Amino acid sequence: MPKQTQPQQPWRIIKGQQSSYLDLSRMPSKILLLFLLSLFFTLSTISFFRLFIFTKTTTPPSTPTIHPISSSTHAATTTNLTSKELKLLTNLISKRSPCNLCIFGLHPQLLTLANLNNLGTTVFLEDDPKKIGSISIEPKTMQVYKIDHGLVAHEAYELLRHARADHSCSPRAGPLKSSRCRLALTRLPKVVYEREWDVVVVDGPSGDGSDAPGRMAVIYSAGMLARRRTGKVTDVVVHDVHRTVEMWYSWEFLCHENLESSKGKLWHFRVLGNSSSGGFCSTTGA
């Protein structure tokens, strides 16, 4: 009788005399995606764990240094979206339009989103007056406001400690405008607080150096705006997630369990509103 062989499992490690390997080609696509995402988060966590670890001692560790991006790569990493990243954004707006769209940052590529949302409301919030002056504004499809960012990138570590320890920074602390949390943007245009935003895009301020305005408060505030829409879903998209501040603040206030998709340096979160929650993510309490 011929010898029967057991069917090979798609993720089984096959060992031979000369090599062993993981047969990923036989692995179901969903399991493969989960495997790769788990590997990515594990490696990233190990890489940055020492940077953001919180000790229980009374003496805080030294503030981490966030290294600036060189001027030669500034334009590519802080303003330009790749074709795939832009496609993710345009597909999202096309599906949700007409909608209320709030965009932190302003550059020509982002104007495409306002054109797609021409029957909705699009608000741009930008801190650089030169960028505002260089853009042709169409008042029927967009509103552009000059705002100020008082926090710089090298404060990211201290502010994250503050947000975790201070109850005024929790989702149920109250309206963003009257918040006492140091990360809360409380001086935005009135329209930001009055409307419910279906989509929030974070692509500003620059955050391209340790002394440059950072995106800590923007990401936190985007998370707060999303969670006050109880029972409704807000799409939050963050650009430049290859950088420490954008990556860790997205994990902290938008949460990896809400990560819907990603392209290049762009992460897309879908956040369900719940203003009564005591924590932002499922691992930080409810």
Side-chain angles (χ1 to χ4, degrees):
M1 179 180 294
K3 184 178 180 180
Q4 294 184 349
T5 59
Q6 294 294 327
Q8 183 179 311
Q9 297 297 325
W11 51 86
R12 181 182 177 185
I13 296 178
I14 304 172
K15 295 184 178 180
Q17 294 181 350
Q18 297 181 345
S19 63
S20 63
Y21 61 94
L22 186 63
D23 192 358
L24 296 179
S25 64
R26 296 174 178 269
M27 186 179 292
S29 58
K30 289 186 177 180
I31 296 178
L32 176 59
L33 178 60
L34 289 174
F35 172 78
L36 293 176
L37 284 174
S38 298
L39 180 62
F40 170 77
F41 284 122
T42 300
L43 293 176
S44 298
T45 300
I46 293 173
S47 299
F48 293 102
F49 181 73
R50 293 181 62 189
L51 181 64
F52 282 91
I53 188 171
F54 290 97
T55 64
K56 295 183 179 180
T57 63
T58 56
T59 304
S62 59
T63 302
T65 300
I66 300 177
H67 299 286
I69 299 172
S70 65
S71 58
S72 62
T73 61
H74 171 77
T77 56
T78 61
T79 60
N80 290 347
L81 294 160
T82 67
S83 59
K84 291 183 178 180
E85 291 168 351
L86 184 58
K87 185 173 179 59
L88 186 155
L89 276 172
T90 55
N91 286 345
L92 172 62
I93 302 305
S94 296
K95 290 178 181 178
R96 299 218 61 173
S97 180
C99 66
N100 290 331
L101 169 61
C102 181
I103 303 176
F104 290 88
L106 178 64
H107 55 80
Q109 288 177 308
L110 294 176
L111 296 180
T112 306
L113 307 183
N115 294 332
L116 289 173
N117 192 40
N118 63 323
L119 297 179
T121 298
T122 303
V123 169
F124 288 94
L125 304 172
E126 174 58 51
D127 66 320
D128 188 345
K130 292 182 179 179
K131 289 184 179 181
I132 297 176
S134 65
I135 295 294
S136 178
I137 299 173
E138 176 52 61
K140 293 183 179 180
T141 60
M142 69 183 77
Q143 303 169 42
V144 180
Y145 296 92
K146 166 71 170 65
I147 64 172
D148 295 314
H149 296 281
L151 304 177
V152 293
H154 73 254
E155 298 177 285
Y157 177 72
E158 176 192 350
L159 289 168
L160 193 54
R161 286 177 60 99
H162 157 73
R164 286 183 171 180
D166 195 326
H167 293 299
S168 68
C169 297
S170 74
R172 61 184 174 199
L176 180 66
K177 183 174 176 56
S178 58
S179 174
R180 295 183 179 181
C181 179
R182 290 169 59 191
L183 282 170
L185 292 174
T186 59
R187 297 183 179 181
L188 296 176
K190 191 176 180 180
V191 64
V192 177
Y193 307 111
E194 292 179 342
R195 285 186 180 269
E196 291 190 357
W197 300 100
D198 302 299
V199 183
V200 180
V201 177
V202 178
D203 201 10
S206 66
D208 62 340
S210 61
D211 294 321
R215 297 180 185 175
M216 302 85 67
V218 174
I219 295 173
Y220 166 81
S221 297
M224 289 292 288
L225 290 173
R227 282 169 176 81
R228 79 183 182 95
R229 303 179 70 222
T230 302
K232 300 178 182 178
V233 172
T234 302
D235 291 285
V236 182
V237 184
V238 181
H239 193 215
D240 297 320
V241 294
H242 63 297
R243 303 190 307 203
T244 303
V245 169
E246 284 78 356
M247 177 186 293
W248 276 93
Y249 272 71
S250 293
W251 281 356
E252 185 77 16
F253 301 114
L254 301 176
C255 311
H256 65 82
E257 65 259 31
N258 296 325
L259 184 62
E260 177 74 10
S261 60
S262 65
K263 285 292 182 183
K265 301 168 185 174
L266 200 71
W267 279 353
H268 169 210
F269 298 87
R270 301 209 78 201
V271 182
L272 178 64
N274 182 5
S275 59
S276 64
S277 174
F280 286 89
C281 305
S282 60
T283 56
T284 59

